[in-house]
Amino acid sequence: MTPPLNRRGLLLGAAALTVFSMKAARAAVSAPLSNATVDDATMRHFMAVSGRLTGFTDLNAELGHRLITAFIQIVPNFRETLALLPATAEESAPTSAFEQTVMTGWYEGVVQHEDNMACVAYVTALEHVLTADVLKPPSYAYGAYGSWQAKPLPAAHWATQDLTP
Amino acid sequence: MTSPLSADIIVIGSGVCGALAARHLARAGASVLMLEAGPRITREQITARFRASPLKSDFLAPYPNSDMAPFPDYKPHDNGYLVQAGPVPYKAEYIRAVGGTTWHWAAQAWRLLPNDFRIQSLYGVGRDWPISYDDLEPYYCEAERIMGVSGPIDNGSPRSEPFPMPPVAPSWLERKFTERLAPHYHVITNTTARNSQSYDGRPACCGNNNCMPICPIDAQFHGGLAADKAEDAGVRLIAQAVVYKLEHDAKGRITAAWFYDWNKTAHKVTGKTFIIAANAIETPKLLFLSASAAFPNGLANRSDALGRTLMDHPSNGATFEVEDAVWPGRGPMSPASIQQLRDGAFRSDHAAFRIDLSNSSRVASITRSAIAKGLRGTALQAEIRRRSAHEISLKNVLEQLPNPENRVMLSSEKDALGLPKPWLHYQYDAYIDRGMAASKKAYDEIAALMGAKSVTHTPDGVYQNNQHITGTLAMGHDPATSVCDSHARAHDHENLFFASTGVMPTVATVNSTLTAAALALRTAHFIKETA
């Protein structure tokens, strides 16, 4: 199950859509990504592959478009490598480095190749969506003073699973 | 050169120490000019930059780093500002900006223990301070009132006044550790400059869990607020003013400071009294840069003690999964610690330390680790959920003894203004290694009490530092072996003072900011009373 991505979160993410390079970091200047043209078939394939890798069945298409735009600009040969990935596959083998790059984009909100990187999402990165029933992304208020004293109460669909180490 | 600037008091550096000293003297009626190498920054700006940063684990990334007043940065690569001579690198982090490095800190505002001032007399190691705990206690109180410090009364440091506010409410995680470790280990809420209630126009903590790199709501005190207070008191602050030389007269009294603005135009500043508050690396750098015919080894350095006995708190750590679903990330990042190993007869043999319990969200690091393991889909989600609920980390804050061979000097490499970069020589000793071994034993006992089945330790002999840069301007009674006297006045220059962690003769086992702030206030009182 995927908690919904809200509009505000997407807008916050959109404001952050910039390429961040070593040089840019030191100069405290980021260059905005240009809009890449992505055809519908490539987009559908990207979302299908992303769903298989992330385990989320209802990935947000708008965030997906921003991610693939960043991937195409930052990761060499992204379209070509993506095309080789199956939309469905056996899940036994460990993920490849390329697949992990795609997953890091969705989960961390960061698209990276060597020193070139972009923050595409923060609040809507899947690592925060996945834990949103218990935690807030760092820098966002947990709640009123002292609210963290209470026992954490995971959402019911997670609480039914025994995750004790 | 432009026309000279002048004031009664010239303060170089606008961090907590310099700003609080400047404020005190301005409130006493002195004209005070404060020079800061870095730019003005705002909380809103840094918060926005953090949220937009692809390098969120790098606490320096949100802070603008200019070639005109560079500071060390290590991600994605070392920017080379600190020149490392080894044997081990000392990867200090600090910020050159109005307000200084406490823009990001965990607001740990501990006092030393009384015995920390006498470790040579008591334990035969390190050196004694030229002042006692009692000498500093009133200034600890004053610093705590300004900074808004809260904490528990059983933290080992006697008090003449209550804390300005009660301790910060414990998270569920802290409560579970406190329950399960008792009576073997006594967990206490940390002593912090973090609001447990509205204080001084700032709100109580809302658990943003982002104390580092930036508290988005100013629930914790920081140097930017100290600089604001100084300006409110009438201090004139000039940012982007990189001081590169001090001048003196025939008696060794400082007469002027020279700074470059960011266009590399030189400006001369004159004053009656000079306070350098530019941290424990940049301050010795400036004094070495100011060498003259009368002081060929740098100002304040007839003893050859300048820049030596560089110290920090080296740390090791441990990570493990606890039985309870404690979910680190709810509340402040560093809420609680174990104090009982900060002092004892063992200090003759091995380093004392505090054990810190981290409550920082681990979601990002766990996710990256789980993806790198090759997990995908629901297996990946389950791994992230389980570890985010159960995985915790501990680290120590361990006392490093003063070693004269650990030092700051000038490199032959230059920055964009043509000023030499700092050169560092640094190493660890067996006293530290033995303290680290004792820490590992404690981590294992704690992990077992928390129901962990295995523990991952950081590698032996590889230690992280904590950005508590100390010792390079050490105070002492003997001008032959120390840089400044017990009021942080340079032995060699009657009107030159230091407001810095650098004046601390030993580093003890707690974060150095509150002690340095108290020392800076004590120095400011002395300047006012002897003017």
Side-chain angles (χ1 to χ4, degrees):
Chain A
M1 176 182 165
T2 307
L5 304 181
N6 66 51
R7 180 71 185 165
R8 178 170 172 269
L10 286 169
L11 289 173
L12 282 169
L17 189 59
T18 52
V19 172
F20 191 93
S21 71
M22 176 66 183
K23 185 178 177 185
R26 294 190 59 194
V29 168
S30 300
L33 291 174
S34 57
N35 271 328
T37 303
V38 182
D39 62 74
D40 289 348
T42 300
M43 191 67 211
R44 278 196 302 276
H45 184 60
F46 174 69
M47 293 301 287
V49 168
S50 296
R52 173 174 66 81
L53 294 173
T54 63
F56 281 77
T57 56
D58 51 355
L59 293 170
N60 183 280
E62 186 178 338
L63 176 55
H65 189 268
R66 292 215 315 278
L67 277 167
I68 196 170
T69 300
F71 279 129
I72 288 168
Q73 295 192 40
I74 291 173
V75 179
N77 305 313
F78 184 83
R79 289 176 196 265
E80 296 79 1
T81 312
L82 176 69
L84 299 175
L85 290 182
T88 58
E90 291 294 322
E91 300 293 346
S92 56
T95 50
S96 67
F98 180 83
E99 288 173 320
Q100 290 178 19
T101 298
V102 173
M103 294 163 74
T104 300
W106 281 102
Y107 269 92
E108 195 175 332
V110 172
V111 172
Q112 180 172 4
H113 178 75
E114 298 177 348
D115 287 350
N116 292 321
M117 57 193 90
C119 177
V120 176
Y122 182 43
V123 175
T124 53
L126 295 183
E127 64 188 17
H128 297 306
V129 172
L130 183 64
T131 53
D133 55 332
V134 189
L135 300 175
K136 298 285 173 58
S139 82
Y140 289 89
Y142 181 78
Y145 172 78
S147 51
W148 48 84
Q149 294 179 98
K151 182 178 182 178
L153 292 174
H157 68 280
W158 285 111
T160 57
Q161 300 184 26
D162 181 7
L163 297 174
T164 303
Chain B
M1 177 191 138
T2 59
S3 58
L5 299 157
S6 188
D8 295 333
I9 311 282
I10 308 300
V11 180
I12 300 166
S14 66
V16 165
C17 296
L20 293 190
R23 171 181 178 267
H24 180 82
L25 291 163
R27 284 159 61 103
S31 62
V32 183
L33 176 61
M34 188 156 62
L35 304 171
E36 168 55 51
R40 290 181 184 270
I41 56 177
T42 67
R43 173 167 51 89
E44 296 83 354
Q45 168 198 13
I46 302 304
T47 302
R49 288 174 62 101
F50 165 76
R51 289 174 177 166
S53 171
L55 292 168
K56 290 193 172 60
S57 64
D58 178 6
F59 294 154
L60 292 172
Y63 291 90
N65 197 345
S66 167
D67 289 343
M68 296 296 105
F71 54 79
D73 193 5
Y74 305 99
K75 293 180 181 175
H77 304 292
D78 188 338
N79 69 354
Y81 178 62
L82 296 182
V83 179
Q84 306 285 349
V88 298
Y90 177 52
K91 293 197 168 183
E93 295 179 4
Y94 54 89
I95 296 167
R96 294 173 85 184
V98 171
T101 302
T102 55
W103 273 98
H104 80 63
W105 66 322
Q108 302 294 305
W110 299 91
R111 300 176 174 202
L112 303 192
L113 303 172
N115 285 353
D116 290 335
F117 292 76
R118 303 175 60 228
I119 61 171
Q120 175 56 233
S121 296
L122 292 170
Y123 308 117
V125 297
R127 56 190 171 192
D128 290 352
W129 289 48
I131 60 174
S132 68
Y133 181 89
D134 289 343
D135 291 328
L136 198 54
E137 206 279 338
Y139 306 99
Y140 271 137
C141 291
E142 184 177 347
E144 289 167 345
R145 286 193 300 270
I146 296 170
M147 295 166 66
V149 174
S150 67
I153 56 170
D154 58 346
N155 71 1
S157 300
R159 315 181 50 79
S160 62
E161 294 180 8
F163 280 108
M165 66 187 98
V168 173
S171 64
W172 178 261
L173 177 150
E174 178 181 339
R175 293 166 64 183
K176 295 309 289 185
F177 269 81
T178 304
E179 284 170 23
R180 292 191 66 150
L181 297 190
H184 310 285
Y185 288 94
H186 180 45
V187 177
I188 66 169
T189 296
N190 280 341
T191 305
T192 56
R194 177 173 298 109
N195 285 354
S196 58
Q197 59 193 38
S198 297
Y199 187 85
D200 198 21
R202 296 180 289 112
C205 178
C206 288
N208 303 60
N209 202 247
N210 206 60
C211 319
M212 297 176 290
I214 182 75
C215 173
I217 63 171
D218 273 353
Q220 67 181 24
F221 191 80
H222 59 81
L225 295 166
D228 290 346
K229 285 178 175 293
E231 290 195 279
D232 290 346
V235 172
R236 181 180 176 190
L237 169 59
I238 302 177
Q240 300 178 201
V242 185
V243 179
Y244 63 91
K245 186 175 177 62
L246 300 178
E247 291 181 344
H248 61 83
D249 64 15
K251 294 180 179 176
R253 288 177 59 87
I254 306 302
T255 54
W258 287 84
F259 73 85
Y260 289 130
D261 63 27
W262 281 15
N263 295 316
K264 208 178 176 182
T265 300
H267 303 259
K268 184 178 183 179
V269 175
T270 57
K272 296 173 187 167
T273 299
F274 291 75
I275 302 173
I276 315 183
N279 98 15
I281 289 177
E282 295 294 329
T283 300
K285 183 184 111 175
L286 173 59
L287 294 167
F288 284 124
L289 275 171
S290 303
S292 65
F295 297 93
N297 297 319
L299 301 185
N301 196 29
R302 281 185 170 145
S303 61
D304 191 34
L306 178 65
R308 292 187 183 270
T309 63
L310 170 65
M311 294 171 285
D312 200 314
H313 291 121
S315 286
N316 66 2
T319 305
F320 47 88
E321 290 187 38
V322 300
E323 199 168 356
D324 304 285
V326 292
W327 287 96
R330 302 164 73 248
M333 293 173 92
S334 184
S337 57
I338 295 164
Q339 305 286 305
Q340 64 213 58
L341 299 165
R342 287 177 63 191
D343 191 33
F346 64 84
R347 291 174 90 172
S348 295
D349 174 66
H350 69 73
F353 54 90
R354 180 182 90 224
I355 296 177
D356 267 7
L357 179 56
S358 173
N359 186 40
S360 297
S361 169
R362 299 185 60 79
V363 169
S365 63
I366 287 167
T367 300
R368 188 158 273 217
S369 155
I371 290 173
K373 282 168 71 173
L375 297 174
R376 65 161 68 80
T378 53
L380 173 67
Q381 293 180 9
E383 170 99 351
I384 294 171
R385 292 280 305 191
R386 189 195 79 249
R387 289 173 61 188
S388 295
H390 295 276
E391 187 177 289
I392 70 99
S393 70
L394 304 176
K395 74 165 187 174
N396 60 4
V397 176
L398 180 142
E399 179 167 41
Q400 177 176 28
L401 296 177
N403 174 353
E405 297 308 310
N406 285 356
R407 63 190 304 196
V408 181
M409 295 184 76
L410 298 182
S411 168
S412 58
E413 295 182 29
K414 306 271 179 69
D415 67 18
L417 285 174
L419 305 176
K421 298 177 180 178
W423 175 100
L424 303 174
H425 182 275
Y426 198 67
Q427 60 194 320
Y428 303 117
D429 59 23
Y431 187 78
I432 291 173
D433 293 335
R434 290 193 294 271
M436 295 293 180
S439 299
K440 280 180 71 173
K441 183 167 171 287
Y443 300 151
D444 287 344
E445 290 173 355
I446 292 166
L449 290 166
M450 294 303 299
K453 295 192 174 72
S454 64
V455 182
T456 301
H457 292 279
T458 54
D460 288 341
V462 180
Y463 310 130
Q464 300 296 311
N465 53 288
N466 279 280
Q467 329 317 338
H468 306 157
I469 313 164
T470 43
T472 56
L473 308 161
M475 56 166 54
H477 289 308
D478 186 356
T481 58
S482 55
V483 178
C484 61
D485 68 14
S486 62
H487 289 101
R489 171 169 24 200
H491 288 303
D492 302 339
H493 310 279
E494 186 186 2
N495 66 337
L496 177 61
F497 294 82
F498 304 117
S500 169
T501 52
V503 306
M504 294 171 62
T506 61
V507 69
T509 54
V510 288
N511 313 49
S512 45
T513 297
L514 183 77
T515 296
L519 288 164
L521 289 168
R522 185 169 179 270
T523 295
H525 279 264
F526 177 79
I527 292 171
K528 174 185 161 189
E529 289 157 11
T530 56

